Amino acid sequence: MNEAKRHLVTAALIAGLLIAWEVTGQMKLVAGGTLPAISAILSRLVAEFPEYLPHLAETLKTASTGFVIGNVIAVAAACLFCLFPLTERLFRGINITVFTVPPIALAPVLVIAMDGNAARITLAALLVYFPTMTAALTGLQTADPRAIDLVHAYGGGRFKALWLVRIRTALPAVLSGFQIAAPAAVLGAILAEFGSGARWGLGSFLLGSLGRAEPDRLWGIGLTATAISALGYVAAALAAKWVTGENRALGLTVSQVRSEPERGRLHKAVMVVAALVFPFVIWQVLIWMSGLSPIIAKTPYGVFEYLFLGRGAESAQTRLLVALGETVPVTLLGMLVGLLFAFLLSLISFLSPTIMRAILPFALFTQTMPLVALTPLAVLIFGRGLTVTLVITTSVTFFAAFVVLAQGFAMIPKSAFDLVDAYGASVLQKLRLIAIPACGKWIFVAGRLALPKALLGVMIAEWLATGKGLGNLLNQSRGYLDYGMIWTVALVSILLSVALYQLAELAEKLVTGGRSKK
Amino acid sequence: MSISINRRRFLQSAAIGAAALSVPSGITRALAATPLTMQAAWINDAEFCGYFAALDEGYYTDAGLDLTYLPGGPDVIPESTLIAGRADLALTTPDTTIKAIVDQGAPFKIIGAQYQKNPIGIVSLAKAPIKSPEELKGKTLAVPPVNVISVEAMLEINGIDRSEVNIVPYAYDPTPLLKGEIDASLDFTTNVPYTIEQQGEEAYSFLLYDFGYKTYNDTVVVTEETLAEKRDLLVAWMRASRQGWNANFQDPAAYPPKFADTWFKGTGRTVENEIFFNEAQQPLIENPNGIFAMDDAGIDANIETLNRIGIKASKDMFDTSLLAEI
């Protein structure tokens, strides 16, 4: 009864929020009607649905192809890393790169280097790789050691153990990885369709619709994108439930740095260098294999030459430094704001799960709605300054951080509260004395997830609203046909993300004394 | 090389012979056609009506071409597609193409120009019109990042300091202009005024071309290698495309509805918008010497414009010899 009552309250809250949205839209309260009423969005969506079908089909095709390819590679990589732990260290640079790379910096480079269809599938596959790989690896590595010993006792090697024990125990973890990978594939497909001149797909439908100044159409496309992302998530969740017979909570596997048995400083240093160099080797090899002209496809040396040796090196450096000077401070600020927002949300979810359950669908919507569709709304409400950048950045960063922090809150033992309860502590005191300190290490994990996303958010805002920094430099370089700069911005934004990620990890280690490994 | 041309001509005449024997023409055409790929500059809209008309009317197949048409998009740099070998010819903006020739040593030749006058211009609302570059001072102008180069050039030509205009990114959506968040935007003047009228406002626009930025647009660009190896095919493409454009402009309202279920299906835009676009672009494309024409005066105007903004354009970047063969 109590449970049913809580659900009722949640439903009432959601209904209340929807009604507020409807009224706001009907009365054109926000930005002169730029936020349409939900009834207007839905009725138009229903009326135009036949027009959506070929686009939906294409997006689903691209996303699912990318999903399959990305997951096959991810699971294979996880097996490799599990069998030969050395390779995990070698690929560390690659893995972090794939996780942190801002897709909007990568898309133009992919479109230059590949034909449109391959570029679209590649972007979807790249966004799929990391969540599945980390989930699969965790699953493989946490297999029951006794079962593995048994295989070894019967003369089986590590391949046999992988096949007979590890893969089987990893299956639920892999499927939970799919839950994050499925919406990621949809997002990657739409993003790539938008830019790459695709004839069909929700991304190209969005691009064509932008020029009409009809927000209800744009919201309709956004809702459709959300719906298929949610469908992918639910399908993966159902598959997981069907296989494991239980419903696993969504969990983000955040840290893959396992402490290997240390083999001395030298060995460690060699591995770090190898992990740094390896991505560049792969880059070089890919360019060689593609056989593309050095005019459009820059190798690592090509970028170095462009930045330091070429005719325009000095001007390129200046432009890059100016852009970095605009982007980096805002990124750090954006990360802090995003984390703060995530912290507040997780606090709400801790204090009142009922309110949280009502907010959650709307929070999820912000993760799948293509931001370009919301730009007019954003600039009309927040202008084109720091505010709009922070709002867009927060919308990109908060969700992953929120999931982590909510997990952190949820893991506080109830007995801890019983104690202070006995002393008559207020809610605020409980937060101050127990919840916030217990969340300490989770804040760093959340920060590590939020930082690279913050860079993505800032670059999107620069591209769409403010016209500053790296995001703008990237797009202007396309107009100047400045291929060196396009590759440089892609490289620098990756390096920046990786550096920020490492910084967050370092901070975590310093504060927790390196004991926070899960 | 001459062998392949002879072979093509042979196949072409064979195809005509076969057609005379009333063999289904689609099959023989497919046999005769030589593949050629073109990279357009944007998603399917009226900007490319002439090519769609030529495709539908079979002008390319009649000319022995099996044309593959690639739409463009925000991340597609048409010139890159050429260098990567994924297309034989591309529609480009001449300033970027020439900059690529000068700065990167890209081996491009401009062999024709679709727009005799570049359709990009400054669009504002008629109730607060911006009628000249001078009036942009102190105003907020939204420009797609890709086109900032053109706007900066136009400002410089008109003696206006770049810092006097607040240039912000244009995110393909005219809503901020309609709501007065920005004062003007840079767009195709052939296109966005339609949307503005649909939203119950009146648009005012002027072309950058009319204020000294005298460039072509959608220049037909090929690599020197393609020019040497596929010259005949390129001439055939230009001839067939010209036919397509001529057919399209006989009545600019005629073709867009025909494309509603093919080329324009599902683009997110309306056929009425495409008709508006097609009508508006006719005077910017047509030339007494035929579609794609590049006369000395026009080429000189392009070179002069680009030189003024430090892009060292020169005559040898334009090759008018194919036009002469159409």
Side-chain angles (χ1 to χ4, degrees):
Chain A
M1 181 56 211
N2 208 6
E3 186 68 9
K5 204 170 169 185
R6 251 185 258 133
H7 280 304
L8 208 65
V9 175
T10 306
L13 276 172
I14 292 180
L17 285 169
L18 286 176
I19 290 169
W21 180 352
E22 176 69 23
V23 171
T24 310
Q26 294 282 358
M27 300 184 62
K28 300 186 190 264
L29 292 177
V30 175
T34 305
L35 177 67
I38 186 128
S39 62
I41 299 169
L42 289 177
S43 63
R44 179 151 189 191
L45 178 60
V46 169
E48 292 183 334
F49 202 68
E51 213 176 323
Y52 279 71
L53 285 174
H55 297 299
L56 259 178
E58 185 64 27
T59 298
L60 285 173
K61 198 174 103 191
T62 306
S64 52
T65 313
F67 182 78
V68 170
I69 294 174
N71 281 324
V72 167
I73 295 174
V75 172
C79 289
L80 181 75
F81 300 156
C82 179
L83 285 173
F84 308 101
L86 210 63
T87 55
E88 191 202 340
R89 305 214 121 191
L90 188 60
F91 274 87
R92 194 185 139 83
I94 301 263
N95 288 336
I96 297 180
T97 302
V98 175
F99 170 61
T100 57
V101 57
I104 63 161
L106 195 61
V109 171
L110 288 178
V111 173
I112 287 173
M114 303 176 188
D115 86 58
N117 213 19
R120 293 187 276 277
I121 291 171
T122 304
L123 193 64
L126 274 174
L127 296 192
V128 160
Y129 169 81
F130 192 82
T132 302
M133 188 278 291
T134 46
L137 188 56
T138 312
L140 291 171
Q141 285 173 335
T142 49
D144 188 344
R146 288 167 303 179
I148 292 167
D149 286 344
L150 191 68
V151 174
H152 289 320
Y154 279 93
R158 36 177 145 178
F159 286 96
K160 205 91 194 186
L162 179 79
W163 178 243
L164 290 174
V165 181
R166 291 191 191 273
I167 286 187
R168 278 146 217 244
T169 43
L171 196 57
V174 172
L175 289 168
S176 82
F178 285 1
Q179 287 177 39
I180 303 172
V186 173
L187 201 67
I190 293 179
L191 197 74
E193 284 161 359
F194 185 85
S196 65
R199 177 69 180 87
W200 301 103
L202 288 173
S204 11
F205 192 43
L206 177 64
L207 177 62
S209 301
L210 279 172
R212 301 175 65 145
E214 291 167 358
D216 48 353
R217 161 72 72 80
L218 306 183
W219 282 82
I221 298 171
L223 278 180
T224 312
T226 304
I228 56 174
S229 295
L231 219 65
Y233 176 83
V234 171
L238 285 178
K241 197 174 179 183
W242 182 66
V243 168
T244 61
E246 56 172 317
N247 198 0
R248 285 191 145 224
L250 163 65
L252 286 175
T253 321
V254 282
S255 177
Q256 278 313 310
V257 202
R258 228 150 294 274
S259 33
E260 285 294 309
E262 295 298 345
R263 299 178 210 178
R265 276 174 190 281
L266 181 69
H267 178 85
K268 206 173 163 187
V270 168
M271 284 320 292
V272 169
V273 171
L276 279 174
V277 171
F278 197 50
F280 290 95
V281 174
I282 299 262
W283 173 7
Q284 179 80 47
V285 169
L286 283 177
I287 299 280
W288 272 337
M289 277 173 27
S290 74
L292 288 168
S293 155
I295 294 178
I296 56 170
K298 300 288 181 202
T299 58
Y301 178 73
V303 171
F304 177 79
E305 190 185 24
Y306 171 82
L307 261 186
F308 297 105
L309 308 173
R311 266 190 299 160
E314 211 164 303
S315 127
Q317 283 175 28
T318 314
R319 280 181 291 150
L320 186 65
L321 286 176
V322 169
L324 277 172
E326 287 165 347
T327 301
V328 173
V330 187
T331 303
L332 293 173
L333 190 63
M335 182 214 59
L336 287 178
V337 175
L339 273 182
L340 193 68
F341 187 69
F343 183 77
L344 288 177
L345 264 192
S346 50
L347 210 58
I348 295 175
S349 85
F350 175 68
L351 296 175
S352 165
T354 317
I355 296 181
M356 198 54 226
R357 274 204 300 272
I359 300 178
L360 207 57
F362 298 92
L364 266 172
F365 179 64
T366 62
Q367 298 308 292
T368 45
M369 179 84 182
L371 278 170
V372 63
L374 295 181
T375 310
L377 187 64
V379 298
L380 284 168
I381 300 176
F382 303 108
R384 293 179 188 266
L386 185 62
T387 322
V388 79
T389 312
L390 291 180
V391 168
I392 291 179
T393 307
T394 302
S395 82
V396 175
T397 45
F398 82 90
F399 196 75
F402 159 69
V403 172
V404 170
L405 288 175
Q407 256 172 20
F409 273 120
M411 281 170 82
I412 301 168
K414 288 274 173 278
S415 55
F417 290 108
D418 293 344
L419 180 69
V420 283
D421 262 343
Y423 286 94
S426 71
V427 172
L428 276 179
Q429 278 170 317
K430 274 195 265 184
L431 278 176
R432 191 170 57 81
L433 290 172
I434 296 170
I436 293 174
C439 249
K441 75 168 195 189
W442 294 96
I443 287 188
F444 288 101
V445 179
R448 199 143 30 98
L449 286 172
L451 260 173
K453 296 274 172 263
L455 179 62
L456 170 66
V458 171
M459 285 180 73
I460 291 176
E462 289 169 340
W463 162 47
L464 294 171
T466 66
K468 291 193 164 67
L470 279 180
N472 192 55
L473 183 60
L474 178 67
N475 276 281
Q476 280 198 3
S477 307
R478 179 207 173 294
Y480 293 114
L481 235 61
D482 191 347
Y483 293 103
M485 189 53 93
I486 295 174
W487 286 84
T488 301
V489 173
L491 173 66
V492 166
S493 59
I494 291 172
L495 290 178
L496 195 59
S497 305
V498 173
L500 292 171
Y501 181 89
Q502 296 289 16
L503 209 66
E505 202 171 82
L506 193 70
E508 179 184 354
K509 270 190 192 146
L510 284 178
V511 172
T512 60
R515 280 176 285 104
S516 73
K517 279 156 195 154
K518 283 210 304 182
Chain B
M1 189 191 121
S2 61
I3 294 171
S4 73
I5 290 169
N6 286 339
R7 186 176 147 267
R8 193 174 63 75
R9 291 224 172 107
F10 166 76
L11 287 171
Q12 232 179 313
S13 45
I16 295 163
L21 291 169
S22 80
V23 174
S25 62
I27 295 167
T28 52
R29 274 177 182 170
L31 279 174
T34 315
L36 192 78
T37 303
M38 72 174 282
Q39 171 69 59
W42 197 245
I43 55 171
N44 290 5
D45 62 20
E47 185 177 347
F48 313 105
C49 262
Y51 312 106
F52 301 145
L55 278 158
D56 282 5
E57 300 293 345
Y59 298 150
Y60 294 116
T61 36
D62 290 346
L65 299 176
D66 175 15
L67 183 71
T68 303
Y69 177 94
L70 302 175
D75 286 335
V76 179
I77 308 173
E79 288 93 336
S80 316
T81 321
L82 294 181
I83 297 181
R86 288 193 295 269
D88 299 300
L89 62 97
L91 303 175
T92 75
T93 45
D95 37 7
T96 57
T97 303
I98 289 173
K99 206 166 158 43
I101 300 175
V102 177
D103 289 355
Q104 334 256 349
F108 295 137
K109 287 277 186 232
I110 299 172
I111 60 170
Q114 175 183 319
Y115 286 109
Q116 302 296 309
K117 285 185 178 184
N118 195 336
I120 59 173
I122 305 294
V123 183
S124 52
L125 299 183
K127 63 183 182 192
I130 290 172
K131 294 178 176 167
S132 69
E134 191 66 25
E135 292 181 18
L136 279 169
K137 283 183 183 173
K139 296 283 166 48
T140 299
L141 170 69
V143 182
V146 179
N147 297 108
V148 169
I149 178 175
S150 310
V151 170
E152 286 176 346
M154 182 271 292
L155 292 176
E156 189 169 320
I157 290 166
N158 288 279
I160 296 160
D161 198 285
R162 159 82 162 79
S163 62
E164 287 186 85
V165 184
N166 179 25
I167 295 181
V168 297
Y170 181 57
Y172 319 100
D173 187 334
T175 304
L177 177 63
L178 285 158
K179 302 286 179 197
E181 194 262 332
I182 54 172
D183 301 302
S185 65
L186 180 97
D187 208 320
F188 268 40
T189 54
T190 46
N191 185 26
V192 78
Y194 173 82
T195 305
I196 292 171
E197 282 164 27
Q198 286 302 298
Q199 301 293 327
E201 287 284 349
E202 195 89 24
Y204 185 93
S205 63
F206 67 82
L207 293 173
L208 300 194
Y209 188 95
D210 292 331
F211 286 88
Y213 190 70
K214 296 197 185 302
T215 61
Y216 296 138
N217 201 354
D218 282 350
T219 31
V220 183
V221 171
V222 295
T223 62
E224 285 168 358
E225 195 188 340
T226 307
L227 185 57
E229 287 172 3
K230 300 185 175 176
R231 188 183 179 89
D232 275 27
L233 300 179
L234 295 171
V235 172
W237 178 86
M238 287 175 89
R239 189 180 297 126
S241 301
R242 180 179 280 181
Q243 260 182 296
W245 277 113
N246 288 339
N248 170 56
F249 281 142
Q250 278 188 354
D251 176 6
Y255 273 100
K258 290 187 197 169
F259 302 148
D261 284 325
T262 54
W263 300 104
F264 293 156
K265 185 180 161 70
T267 58
R269 298 161 52 84
T270 62
V271 168
E272 292 73 27
N273 190 352
E274 307 302 2
I275 294 174
F276 177 95
F277 194 149
N278 203 22
E279 283 168 349
Q281 71 181 350
Q282 185 162 9
L284 304 179
I285 292 179
E286 284 185 331
N287 182 300
N289 297 320
I291 307 287
F292 298 128
M294 299 192 297
D295 50 28
D296 283 345
I299 292 174
D300 286 343
N302 272 272
I303 292 173
E304 204 196 313
T305 303
L306 295 178
N307 283 345
R308 284 182 75 167
I309 54 167
I311 300 177
K312 295 190 180 59
S314 59
K315 252 199 157 115
D316 60 313
M317 296 168 184
F318 300 82
D319 185 340
T320 56
S321 64
L322 287 86
L323 284 165
E325 289 175 38
I326 303 178

